[in-house]
Amino acid sequence: MIRIGVLGCGYFGAEFARAIKEREDAQLAAVYSPGKSSERLSRELGCPRASSVDEIMENADIDAVIIATPNYLHHQHVLAAAGAGKHIFCEKPFALNAEDAAEMVEACRKAEVTLMVGHIMHFYQGIARVKAMIQDGFFGDILTMHIERTGWEQKKAEVSWKKMQEKSGGHLFHHIHEIDIMQWIMGVPTEMYAVGGNLGHRGAEFGDEDDVLLLTASFNGNAFATLQYGSGFRVGNHFIRINGTKAGAVIDFKRAEVRVISDAGETQFPLFEDEKSARAICELFARTDGGISYGSPEERPPEYILVSLREELELFLHVVSGGEIPEEKKDLFDGSSAVHSVMIAQMGCRVRGRKS
């Protein structure tokens, strides 16, 4: 029985707590957030509410922590958990700069605790299948990748910390998933170029993050990637397009499908293993600009996130219990996925002249 404490009771943290509560091999030992969300979650699940982060760290009966706190707090919370000897699952973005990320990985290595980063797209069946096909040589050499995660943000009643550059890191960090997939397939760029700014969302009713980001990455001049991010696009989209010497693919989030094109013709397969997940993401895009949407503690994530989140938890508990890490998931545990994705996001901010 693995006893787990959950830090951060918002959109993802609350769902991890619910998933832990359902399991027979884990116990939800405590939850903590400074606001009312932890009180609400404690009542819902009938679990203890800790009074502070320190209370969870000092509880010798807690074996592991789920860190789903605001992005700018991940660094201090991972270091505290490693210092307390607790196994760690940390939500994305792992950190807001590469130096902090490397320090966090090293602290966990020295403490000999399991560390897993929450890059949930590694658990999307269609993306994992494309990655395997690339490794098997089906695509040949990868030449280019193009990523779009864009939409238009409407005014909201309150400005979330997620819209504040210093606390969230902005779109490149808070929506780091596609950057992570890029590094998973292509590695870390040697050069990046970027333009961007807060063009359409200025004023007290919005945050201060850039709402338009256009980036180009070079991989030693042998491959290139382009990225479009932000909430300043009235005509938004959400996809990853990959081109190799033998084949190409489009990972289409709005349609929950993957299309692969080669000399043999075109094939399609689903982005998700189950139809409920596919319906859920299509419904999300039908009613919102899903690529740039943000969850709140009052909402529950759509089905495709629920399924993948439970797969993440399943693997984390398996490894904490002494199980072997699958080869295709090792980068989620050795720090490479965590550090490399943060490194790329930081490169994008630096060439923009943004603090990161």
Side-chain angles (χ1 to χ4, degrees):
M1 179 68 66
I2 300 168
R3 289 172 52 84
I4 303 176
V6 174
L7 297 182
C9 300
Y11 192 60
F12 271 79
E15 208 54 53
F16 270 111
R18 294 182 185 107
I20 293 165
K21 192 72 174 177
E22 295 170 359
R23 299 187 65 90
E24 296 182 355
D25 57 350
Q27 181 181 349
L28 184 60
V31 298
Y32 174 72
S33 273
K36 293 183 179 180
S37 58
S38 60
E39 297 176 8
R40 185 167 57 245
L41 189 63
S42 174
R43 288 194 302 271
E44 175 191 337
L45 299 179
C47 68
R49 177 188 181 270
S51 60
S52 66
V53 172
D54 289 343
E55 182 179 330
I56 286 182
M57 299 306 175
E58 292 167 4
N59 186 338
D61 291 332
I62 292 179
D63 307 301
V65 292
I66 304 288
I67 296 176
T69 48
N71 305 347
Y72 68 101
L73 296 174
H74 290 179
H75 175 245
Q76 68 185 70
H77 290 163
V78 167
L79 293 184
K86 303 193 187 303
H87 303 293
I88 299 162
F89 178 97
C90 182
E91 257 303 331
K92 63 79 194 169
F94 186 59
L96 293 186
N97 64 70
E99 294 78 10
D100 283 355
E103 182 184 7
M104 293 152 70
V105 171
E106 179 62 14
C108 293
R109 187 194 65 79
K110 285 184 176 179
E112 299 183 344
V113 296
T114 296
L115 170 67
M116 180 180 176
V117 64
H119 284 162
I120 200 168
M121 284 189 183
H122 288 241
F123 294 83
Y124 291 8
Q125 175 197 6
I127 294 178
R129 183 170 171 181
V130 168
K131 166 70 172 177
M133 292 171 71
I134 290 171
Q135 286 183 312
D136 290 342
F138 181 85
F139 284 78
D141 296 327
I142 301 301
L143 304 177
T144 67
M145 180 181 290
H146 178 65
I147 293 168
E148 289 195 27
R149 183 165 186 159
T150 57
W152 183 263
E153 182 193 359
Q154 304 293 346
K155 294 179 182 179
K156 295 185 178 180
E158 296 182 8
V159 178
S160 167
W161 64 264
K162 297 175 182 178
K163 308 305 296 180
M164 307 305 293
Q165 190 84 20
E166 190 172 354
K167 292 186 175 182
S168 73
H171 285 281
L172 294 184
F173 283 91
H174 198 70
H175 293 139
I176 204 167
H177 295 297
E178 290 76 16
I179 287 175
D180 169 56
I181 297 303
M182 182 179 76
Q183 69 81 28
W184 196 30
I185 291 172
M186 301 181 75
V188 177
T190 51
E191 294 178 278
M192 285 192 78
Y193 312 87
V195 294
N198 187 0
L199 306 184
H201 294 84
R202 297 170 182 159
E205 66 271 33
F206 298 107
D208 65 351
E209 66 177 357
D210 293 338
D211 65 356
V212 172
L213 288 155
L214 308 174
L215 304 96
T216 302
S218 172
F219 299 81
N220 283 315
N222 298 314
F224 302 101
T226 53
L227 305 89
Q228 296 185 10
Y229 267 82
S231 56
F233 295 77
R234 280 290 183 176
V235 181
N237 220 322
H238 192 190
F239 65 86
I240 300 173
R241 186 170 63 231
I242 302 165
N243 282 292
T245 54
K246 295 182 180 179
V250 177
I251 301 167
D252 191 333
F253 296 91
K254 294 179 76 170
R255 294 175 177 79
E257 68 177 18
V258 179
R259 300 189 302 279
V260 175
I261 302 96
S262 68
D263 289 341
E266 180 174 333
T267 59
Q268 295 183 5
F269 49 86
L271 181 58
F272 302 106
E273 195 167 11
D274 60 299
E275 290 185 9
K276 283 182 67 177
S277 290
R279 285 199 302 273
I281 197 169
C282 291
E283 290 168 2
L284 176 69
F285 277 102
R287 68 177 188 274
T288 69
D289 276 330
I292 53 99
S293 62
Y294 295 83
S296 71
E298 292 75 28
E299 301 173 326
R300 292 198 66 176
E303 183 70 16
Y304 70 95
I305 290 179
L306 298 181
V307 170
S308 298
L309 181 148
R310 279 158 173 74
E311 291 178 1
E312 287 183 302
L313 179 62
E314 174 87 26
L315 179 58
F316 178 63
L317 293 174
H318 168 76
V319 174
V320 168
S321 300
E324 195 169 326
I325 303 171
E327 185 66 33
E328 69 276 10
K329 297 293 193 294
K330 284 186 176 178
D331 59 328
L332 298 179
F333 291 88
D334 64 12
S336 60
S337 179
V339 174
H340 291 164
S341 58
V342 168
M343 188 183 302
I344 296 168
Q346 184 177 17
M347 289 172 69
C349 287
R350 281 180 173 169
V351 297
R352 275 279 303 116
R354 274 285 198 175
K355 179 182 176 183
S356 58

